[in-house]
Each structure stands twice: as C-alpha cells, then as structure tokens.
C-alpha cells in the first residue's frame, strides 16, 4: 500500500497560512520548507537555463505578497507552481528578445537531494533522464507534474492553464514515448 | 514494455504510487498490480522515474527564501507589537525630555532600558495628548510598508514552445 504524501495536506497549509496572516513568521519557514523543493524540481524540469533559486524565491515572494487573497479551497502547491511557471515564461520571453536563450545542459544537473536516488543505478537514471528529455516541452511538464509530484489532471490543468482532457492525453503520449525509448 | 488493457486502472497508477487514492480504490489497484505484470512493470517505471526526476533538482535554501518574504500583513498580534513599540517610544521620548540623568539610566541598563525608562517616566499616561499624537504620526511613517505586487507575471499566456530550434 502506497503511503499518503505528507507534503500534500491542504488543511495543514491552510492552518500555516492562517498563522502567518496572524503575524507568526515561523509559519512562513514551514510553508517554504514544505513546498520549495517541489517548486524547484518543477522549475528545473522546464528544461531552460534559468536561475532556479531566483525563480523559486520570486514565486514565494509573490505568493506571500498575495496570501491574504488566497482561497483556502485551492491547493497552495498548485498555485505556487502556476506562479513559478509564469515567471519562467516571462524570463524566457525576455531572453528570446535578447536572443540569449539557451537550453539547459546535462552538466547543470545539481546534487541529488533524494537518498532514494542511490537505489536506481546511474546508468538506468541516465536512460530515464534521456527518455524524459526527448519529450515535447508540454509533455515533459505534464509528465513531471504527474510522475514526480503526483499531481492529478485537474491540478496539472490549473498549473498549465489547460484542460484535464488535454493533460491526460499529454501524459499518456509521454508515457508511450518513454516506454518506446526504453524498449529500443 | 506493454500497456495494460485496463486503461482506467492504468490511468490511476501515478495516483496510487503517490498515495492519492482513497482506501477502497487503493485496495482495488493494489490487488490488480499484484496480479498484472504490465501494471507491475509500469509501477516500477513510475517509481524509478520519480526518483530520477526528483534527484536531478537543485537544493533550495529555505532560510534565504524566508528572509526575502514580505512581512505578514499584520492583524491581531502585529497590533500588539505596534502598541508595545508605541509604549517604548513614548517612554524614551519622555526620558529625553526629562534630561541627561535619564540617558545615563538607559546607558547603564542597556537590555532593560525600555522597562527602566517606563518606570522612571511613570508610563505613557504622563504624555500630553499633543505629544502622543506626534509620536503616533511618527510611528505611522515608520510602519508604512510597501504593498507587494500580488502577481506581476499575470497576463503571460504564452505556452512553452519547443526548447531549441
Ligand atoms: Zn494491469
């Protein structure tokens, strides 16, 4: 039986947000610790050479600046992803204008933050990474959100400003493509 | 690697891997995966992919992000802090008005200076209405914090296109 993901607890997020709005600044540390690693993973999965730290920090600053307007029934993490994605698109757009856009390089992969990573042999990891990198940008985004973050199609659609149906189609095309690459 | 013919169940494998199904549905998926080689393979692939994707992400500096955050909008408790600062400033002002002996008192008892000053000055109530008003105005200026832009990136609707030509 797969365990429930403790990071994904909207009630805890709501309680922490209420505490922060009430002036408890320690609640901010808990919220950032709960969600920043996932936001960083998502930003780096977009495959562009952006300063991930900077985008993640910017996303939190903007989110906290508007936290008093945040609807308690929405998922904080989904909202953070949406903001982070917009920031990346913004940066990408301005890089395009300057003609300085560069694709993220293989060597840019940072130090692993997951002790489980040692369980997967390096060679297999390289093949899996290569399989994901071959996906179209939209497939890669959907696939990362679903496989790495465990998001449902509705949340993915919210982040991407798309529909559940489109997210489902992108996910299954991506999975097919990954399997074909690994079988080849 | 083959796709299981049960499309609906296959669609839920990532939710199952991440523990996002209710207990009844999770049990159905668990039993199916135990009996279906295709789904067992896909679950193993999902786990390996999840591990790989998460391992490639950069570390984040939580403290640095927290330090950059705006202050809470200040309701309840923030009002109390504002009141406490008002008391302290009012007391300090009285001490300054009373004279150099008060300064010496502040110097001697550095950590407890506000408390000592309060005792010496006899409290905020000794201030005239005019003194209080000018202190409050002064304080309001200090407390004025810029409102953060809720979401400056709004309006960007472009989708991510192909990464490289
Ligand atoms: Zn099956």
């Amino acid at each position: 039986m797969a365990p429930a993901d403790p990071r994904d607890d909207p009630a805890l997020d709501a309680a922490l947000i209420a505490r922060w709005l009430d002036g408890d600044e320690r609640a901010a540390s808990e919220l950032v610790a709960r969600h920043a690693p996932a936001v960083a993973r998502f930003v780096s999965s977009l495959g562009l050479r952006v300063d991930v730290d900077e985008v993640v920090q910017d996303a939190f600053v903007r989110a906290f600046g508007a936290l008093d307007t945040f609807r308690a029934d929405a998922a904080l993490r989904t909202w953070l992803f949406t903001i982070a994605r917009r920031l990346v698109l913004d940066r990408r757009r301005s890089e395009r204008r300057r003609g300085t856009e560069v694709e993220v390089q293989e060597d840019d992969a940072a130090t692993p933050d997951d002790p489980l990573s040692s369980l997967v042999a390096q060679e297999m990891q390289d093949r899996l990474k290569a399989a994901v990198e071959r996906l179209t940008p939209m497939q890669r985004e959907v696939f990362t959100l679903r496989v790495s973050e465990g998001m449902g199609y509705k949340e993915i659609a919210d982040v991407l400003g798309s529909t559940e149906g489109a997210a489902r189609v992108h996910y299954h095309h991506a999975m097919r493509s990954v399997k074909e690459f690994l079988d080849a | 690697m083959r796709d299981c013919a049960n499309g609906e169940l296959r669609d839920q494998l990532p939710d199952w891997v991440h523990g996002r199904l209710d207990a009844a549905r999770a049990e159905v998926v668990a039993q199916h995966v135990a009996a279906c080689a295709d789904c067992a393979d896909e679950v193993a692939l999902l786990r390996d992919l999840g591990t790989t994707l998460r391992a490639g992400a950069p570390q984040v500096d939580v403290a640095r992000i927290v330090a950059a955050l705006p202050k809470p909008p200040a309701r309840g408790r923030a009002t109390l802090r504002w009141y406490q600062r008002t008391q302290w400033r009012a007391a300090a002002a009285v001490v300054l008005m009373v004279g150099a002996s008060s300064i010496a008192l502040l110097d001697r008892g550095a950590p407890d200076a506000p408390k000592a000053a309060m005792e010496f000055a006899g409290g905020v109530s000794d201030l005239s209405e005019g003194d209080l008003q000018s202190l409050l105005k002064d304080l309001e200026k200090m407390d004025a914090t810029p409102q953060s832009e809720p979401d400056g990136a709004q309006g960007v609707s472009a989708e991510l296109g192909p990464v490289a030509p």
Side-chain angles (χ1 to χ4, degrees):
Chain A
M1 187 38 224
D5 188 342
R7 297 167 307 180
D8 184 35
D9 184 347
L12 180 52
D13 282 339
L16 289 169
I17 290 170
R19 269 173 52 195
W20 186 77
L21 289 173
D22 226 23
D24 181 356
E25 295 184 34
R26 284 168 310 173
S29 301
E30 289 186 50
L31 284 164
V32 172
R34 278 168 60 71
H35 298 294
V39 178
R41 282 198 295 272
F42 173 60
V43 170
S44 57
S45 81
L46 298 177
L48 297 166
R49 192 195 290 274
V50 291
D51 185 336
V52 175
D53 281 351
E54 192 186 294
V55 171
V56 173
Q57 177 174 313
D58 213 358
F60 274 93
V61 168
R62 282 164 195 269
F64 272 74
L67 212 47
D68 52 347
T69 65
F70 179 67
R71 301 190 329 274
D73 60 333
L76 179 64
R77 185 170 293 191
T78 306
W79 191 46
L80 286 165
F81 279 32
T82 308
I83 295 170
R85 183 172 185 271
R86 285 198 196 122
L87 291 170
V88 171
L89 290 174
D90 249 9
R91 280 164 169 73
R92 183 168 196 234
R93 200 173 47 173
S94 60
E95 279 182 359
R96 259 188 196 146
R97 271 200 299 270
R98 292 201 307 268
T100 56
E101 183 181 75
V102 247
E103 197 172 354
V104 73
Q105 298 299 306
E106 189 74 18
D107 302 346
D108 290 349
T111 47
D113 67 345
D114 188 342
L116 283 176
S117 61
S118 58
L119 297 178
V120 184
Q122 189 58 49
E123 192 183 337
M124 185 57 178
Q125 284 208 10
D126 290 346
R127 276 182 64 72
L128 293 173
K129 261 193 252 173
V132 174
E133 278 160 12
R134 286 176 67 252
L135 301 174
T136 67
M138 180 57 90
Q139 284 177 350
R140 193 165 54 210
E141 275 190 87
V142 171
F143 198 69
T144 302
L145 291 173
R146 184 114 178 96
V147 173
S148 175
E149 304 306 327
M151 279 191 176
Y153 296 120
K154 170 74 172 70
E155 293 164 291
I156 295 171
D158 286 346
V159 171
L160 305 185
S162 181
T163 64
E164 286 183 59
R168 179 178 275 108
V169 168
H170 284 306
Y171 169 74
H172 285 287
H173 281 170
M175 181 54 98
R176 180 95 306 274
S177 168
V178 166
K179 282 183 176 179
E180 280 170 6
F181 178 81
L182 295 174
D183 285 342
Chain B
M1 212 177 288
R2 290 181 315 179
D3 292 345
C4 173
N6 186 338
E8 189 192 342
L9 196 134
R10 208 182 134 234
D11 200 32
Q12 293 179 328
L13 293 177
D15 302 313
W16 183 70
V17 166
H18 285 270
R20 294 179 60 116
L21 298 176
D22 63 49
R25 190 63 205 162
E27 186 54 31
V28 170
V29 174
Q31 284 181 10
H32 176 90
V33 171
C36 173
D38 291 340
C39 283
D41 284 350
E42 189 155 324
V43 164
L45 176 59
L46 284 168
R47 292 204 165 114
D48 286 350
L49 279 164
T51 301
T52 300
L53 292 171
R54 285 190 292 272
Q59 304 265 24
V60 290
D61 185 344
V62 170
R64 192 177 54 84
I65 296 172
V66 171
L69 295 178
K71 296 288 162 205
R75 298 199 295 242
R77 199 174 302 183
T79 310
L80 179 66
R81 278 202 303 271
W82 175 87
Y83 174 69
Q84 285 165 340
R85 275 204 309 272
T86 306
Q87 278 196 319
W88 190 91
R89 287 175 55 81
V94 170
V95 167
L96 286 172
M97 283 185 280
V98 168
S101 60
S102 311
I103 303 291
L105 183 67
L106 274 170
D107 283 341
R108 273 204 309 276
D112 290 320
K115 191 168 162 251
M118 287 292 286
E119 280 162 11
F120 182 78
V124 192
S125 58
D126 288 352
L127 284 173
S128 76
E129 183 63 25
D131 290 333
L132 263 178
Q133 286 306 321
S134 93
L135 280 166
L136 288 176
K137 267 193 199 129
D138 197 8
L139 207 74
E140 268 164 23
K141 273 183 237 151
M142 289 184 63
D143 277 352
T145 47
Q147 288 296 309
S148 309
E149 185 190 5
D151 187 357
Q154 226 160 27
V156 179
S157 57
E159 294 301 328
L160 282 171
V163 168

